[in-house]
Amino acid sequence: MEDADSFLFKFKGYHFGHEELDIGFIENLDDFVIRESDVFIITYPKSGTSWFQQLLSLIYFEEHRKGIGNLETVDRVPFFEYNFRKMDFVERPSPRLFATHLPYYLVPRGLKNKKAKIIYIYRNPKDVMCSYFHFSKNVTLQVTSSFEEFMEQFLEGKVLGSLWFDHIKGWYEHKSLFNIQFLMYEEMKKDLKGSLSKVCKFLGKELSEEEMDSIVRQATFQNMKYDPRANYKNIIKTRYGLEAKGHFLRKGTIGDWKNHMTVEQNERFDKIFQRKMKDFPLKFIWDMNEE
Ligand SMILES: Nc1ncnc2c1ncn2[C@@H]1O[C@H](COP(=O)(O)OS(=O)(=O)O)[C@@H](OP(=O)(O)O)[C@H]1O
């Protein structure tokens, strides 16, 4: 069993996980050559990365839409900084689709030249925190004994991904440097087809009604949860004990934080949120019934 400190690797003020991390690659991220056709999904952990990895691969590849082939999500849209499959990204044919949790200041400079497209998915941070708590417990990324303890770690940014507030604010405040579209998890949850249309427009992808419906069907929570390729059923076990075993899709709801946080914890969170996110223009949805 490893504790949080030994699992984390701090580089330029940001916490990576040691898992599958190639330090040489991280040190040279800035120079990684970006192609115009690259697409990056950028998220703070537990904000809908796997969901969007599925959507993006369905948008781009007809064989996935038609269910041909047996590629897992991590093979279709690999994590950029955690190269589970030891892929050669330079040799990968275009269009290359990547997922990453990197903060704005660590991504390759080609992205800063607006060369490729970025989709930033964000989710209300209380649900992110609860999702993260279960993930840490079940996938043994970090050992935490209680929700209370995890909340402290989360609010101190002592988790893979560092501080949620810094991640989203960093990306939003520097958006003019990038070719970026922001998309909300909760909006996807309420109207997936609408979100898909928005994204296709941004990506310059024209899909038929039928293709859109097929994508929406294949990206529902139920379909993905029971699809081992989408739910990381076979992810490898490594020295820090990462063993996904289908734990990426848990509940997929809005407002699960209400089942986790006490009144005091919620008030404390709200206070910090109000202080840190004062004047931040993006809205958040905390409850399924909220518009
Ligand atoms: N299709 C679909 N619909 C709704 N919700 C979905 C879907 N796919 C993934 N999820 C939920 O996203 C949460 C996992 O986040 P990530 O994929 O970003 O995790 S990770 O950062 O890649 O580890 C995790 O949230 P929780 O269920 O609240 O834990 C997943 O269940």
Side-chain angles (χ1 to χ4, degrees), residues 220-255:
T220 58
F221 181 81
Q222 287 306 319
N223 266 338
M224 285 179 59
K225 186 169 174 72
Y226 298 106
D227 179 349
R229 294 164 306 176
N231 200 1
Y232 289 76
K233 197 78 184 169
N234 305 314
I235 201 88
I236 47 269
K237 189 168 187 230
T238 57
R239 82 198 146 107
Y240 284 90
L242 176 66
E243 202 175 346
K245 278 189 177 164
H247 280 297
F248 274 66
L249 281 95
R250 187 183 60 93
K251 239 174 159 179
T253 55
I254 306 175

Side-chain angles (χ1 to χ4, degrees), residues 43-51 79 101 123 127 131 135 185 189 219-221 224 248-253:
T43 54
Y44 183 85
K46 315 321 293 175
S47 304
T49 326
S50 6
W51 194 3
F79 265 97
H101 297 317
R123 182 183 191 185
D127 281 338
S131 176
F135 191 73
Y185 173 99
K189 188 80 199 157
T220 58
F221 181 81
M224 285 179 59
F248 274 66
L249 281 95
R250 187 183 60 93
K251 239 174 159 179
T253 55

Side-chain angles (χ1 to χ4, degrees), residues 88-283:
D88 184 344
F89 292 153
V90 177
E91 289 298 311
R92 215 168 152 75
S94 299
R96 297 181 302 187
L97 312 176
F98 292 112
T100 178
H101 297 317
L102 287 172
Y104 79 95
Y105 62 90
L106 286 182
V107 296
R109 67 172 166 275
L111 283 176
K112 290 175 200 136
N113 298 336
K114 302 192 180 183
K115 225 177 164 190
K117 295 197 168 83
I118 298 176
I119 295 153
Y120 186 97
I121 318 282
Y122 63 100
R123 182 183 191 185
N124 90 59
K126 291 181 191 172
D127 281 338
V128 167
M129 180 173 70
C130 295
S131 176
Y132 213 158
F133 168 64
H134 288 281
F135 191 73
S136 299
K137 246 179 23 185
N138 291 325
V139 188
T140 62
L141 279 181
Q142 289 170 250
V143 180
T144 42
S145 51
S146 66
F147 180 75
E148 178 77 25
E149 241 177 64
F150 184 77
M151 180 163 155
E152 288 315 307
Q153 261 174 258
F154 182 83
L155 290 173
E156 283 170 21
K158 241 180 137 186
V159 287
L160 187 163
S162 288
L163 201 56
W164 177 88
F165 302 98
D166 291 347
H167 200 275
I168 188 164
K169 283 202 295 190
W171 274 105
Y172 193 80
E173 284 162 9
H174 296 85
K175 65 181 190 308
S176 63
L177 302 176
F178 301 96
N179 189 0
I180 189 168
Q181 159 106 28
F182 287 80
L183 208 69
M184 197 206 272
Y185 173 99
E186 290 79 5
E187 255 175 36
M188 286 167 56
K189 188 80 199 157
K190 284 169 181 263
D191 175 15
L192 187 53
K193 201 166 169 186
S195 299
L196 184 60
S197 301
K198 210 162 146 183
V199 164
C200 285
K201 203 166 162 204
F202 173 67
L203 295 172
K205 286 270 164 201
E206 274 187 37
L207 296 172
S208 66
E209 243 350 77
E210 215 175 278
E211 287 170 326
M212 299 269 281
D213 290 338
S214 156
I215 293 175
V216 167
R217 239 186 349 263
Q218 293 182 64
T220 58
F221 181 81
Q222 287 306 319
N223 266 338
M224 285 179 59
K225 186 169 174 72
Y226 298 106
D227 179 349
R229 294 164 306 176
N231 200 1
Y232 289 76
K233 197 78 184 169
N234 305 314
I235 201 88
I236 47 269
K237 189 168 187 230
T238 57
R239 82 198 146 107
Y240 284 90
L242 176 66
E243 202 175 346
K245 278 189 177 164
H247 280 297
F248 274 66
L249 281 95
R250 187 183 60 93
K251 239 174 159 179
T253 55
I254 306 175
D256 194 35
W257 59 270
K258 292 179 187 165
N259 301 316
H260 291 79
M261 297 172 77
T262 63
V263 173
E264 291 74 30
Q265 285 168 344
N266 189 36
E267 281 174 3
R268 173 160 139 68
F269 196 105
D270 281 343
K271 255 192 209 147
I272 296 171
F273 183 88
Q274 278 152 20
R275 182 161 45 80
K276 297 240 184 214
M277 302 301 281
K278 196 169 165 281
D279 301 327
F280 187 72
L282 292 180
K283 297 284 162 259

Side-chain angles (χ1 to χ4, degrees), residues 47-92:
S47 304
T49 326
S50 6
W51 194 3
F52 215 84
Q53 282 169 297
Q54 170 87 339
L55 279 167
L56 204 60
S57 79
L58 294 168
I59 292 172
Y60 272 85
F61 300 113
E62 196 183 358
E63 71 261 30
H64 299 322
R65 273 201 303 280
K66 293 195 166 153
I68 306 165
N70 212 19
L71 272 190
E72 295 190 34
T73 301
V74 314
D75 296 316
R76 301 174 183 192
V77 187
F79 265 97
F80 188 56
E81 66 274 38
Y82 305 106
N83 193 346
F84 292 109
R85 299 290 199 238
K86 308 272 180 280
M87 284 177 190
D88 184 344
F89 292 153
V90 177
E91 289 298 311
R92 215 168 152 75

